[in-house]
Amino acid sequence: MTGNEINEKLSALTTDQIQANLIQASHQIDMDDIVREGFPTLREVANEVSLPLSDEDIRLGEKMMQFLHNSQDPIIAEKMGLRGGVGLAGNQLGLMKKVIAVLVPNEPEHDEAGQVIPPKEAYKLQEIMYNAKIVSHSVQDAALETGEGCLSVDQEIPGFVVRHARVTVEYVNKAGEKKKIRLKNFESMCVQHEIDHTNGIMFYDH
Ligand code: NI
Ligand code: NI
């Protein structure tokens, strides 16, 4: 489906219907579930998820995380036609809930012979975050050398996206626990990109 077709299909549904479809046991989120530029939820501030978390909201977070895993698996991604992603926000699914999933892999290392050594931990950051917000940040800014992309934006938009270098983020995890974490480097950029989505902000606004 084209971006316009996806936006049109999802604009005919209520957000409750969209979420009910996404969390069906047999459903795996794919590119046809991701709204593209022009869809209203990308430009709106999402609502806080109500606590304690409902089963539906927990399952939604798990489906979003499953999508990221699928998108980073070359075989599954090719079969399902997925673009690789490290983060996804509810607004990108046409929902108005502050839920994000982030999955940042560790890079493999190389030994002296050039052999790949798998990282001890597969992921630098793997988390479903409800009601995530930045509670403090560094004075220093940073930008990814490669610029940024977004699953809701089908063309490449070059340019540095200047963000806070380090952030402290508060959120509720999928077990319903309140968490506070400090992030730097790529993980910091990634979580800021996703929190922006929950506030209706796109990367090229920066
Ligand atoms: Ni689908
Ligand atoms: Ni994005």
Side-chain angles (χ1 to χ4, degrees):
M1 291 176 94
T2 67
N4 282 339
E5 288 168 342
I6 294 162
N7 287 359
E8 208 166 299
K9 176 191 75 174
L10 292 175
S11 63
L13 303 177
T14 66
T15 56
D16 284 349
Q17 288 170 328
I18 292 173
Q19 182 163 349
N21 290 340
L22 291 173
I23 65 176
Q24 284 175 54
S26 59
H27 186 76
Q28 299 205 62
I29 294 176
D30 63 21
M31 298 306 294
D32 289 352
D33 297 311
I34 297 178
V35 301
R36 310 297 160 81
E37 285 173 288
F39 198 85
T41 59
L42 291 177
R43 286 309 197 174
E44 287 167 12
V45 179
N47 304 308
E48 299 247 312
V49 177
S50 45
L51 302 172
L53 294 173
S54 66
D55 286 350
E56 287 76 16
D57 289 338
I58 294 170
R59 270 153 59 199
L60 174 66
E62 288 171 343
K63 290 286 186 186
M64 291 166 68
M65 183 59 78
Q66 180 188 43
F67 167 83
L68 295 177
H69 279 280
N70 286 341
S71 83
Q72 292 179 21
D73 180 310
I75 294 167
I76 298 174
E78 180 170 7
K79 203 167 106 197
M80 292 180 67
L82 307 180
R83 272 176 63 193
V86 290
L88 185 65
N91 298 53
Q92 294 181 274
L93 298 167
L95 303 174
M96 289 305 298
K97 283 186 177 176
K98 291 201 171 187
V99 50
I100 64 176
V102 285
L103 184 67
V104 178
N106 264 314
E107 299 302 328
E109 309 213 342
H110 295 86
D111 65 14
E112 301 90 65
Q115 294 277 67
V116 174
I117 313 168
K120 285 189 203 79
E121 297 281 342
Y123 300 102
K124 281 198 183 98
L125 181 63
Q126 171 172 213
E127 192 76 309
I128 300 163
M129 302 182 182
Y130 299 90
N131 303 337
K133 60 170 191 274
I134 296 168
V135 292
S136 65
H137 62 80
S138 58
V139 175
Q140 195 190 0
D141 288 337
L144 296 174
E145 268 175 44
T146 52
E148 292 186 20
C150 179
L151 295 168
S152 295
V153 180
D154 286 325
Q155 82 269 31
E156 280 191 31
I157 299 181
F160 293 119
V161 180
V162 179
R163 299 185 180 280
H164 308 304
R166 294 175 300 282
V167 290
T168 302
V169 174
E170 270 182 12
Y171 63 95
V172 171
N173 71 9
K174 75 169 190 176
E177 299 159 340
K178 207 172 170 191
K179 295 279 179 186
K180 190 176 186 175
I181 55 170
R182 296 195 64 201
L183 297 167
K184 55 182 181 172
N185 302 330
F186 184 79
E187 305 90 281
S188 168
M189 301 288 130
C190 174
V191 170
Q192 288 178 74
H193 178 121
E194 298 313 322
I195 290 177
D196 270 355
H197 274 307
T198 69
N199 292 313
I201 299 165
M202 301 294 286
F203 72 90
Y204 47 73
D205 297 343
H206 286 273

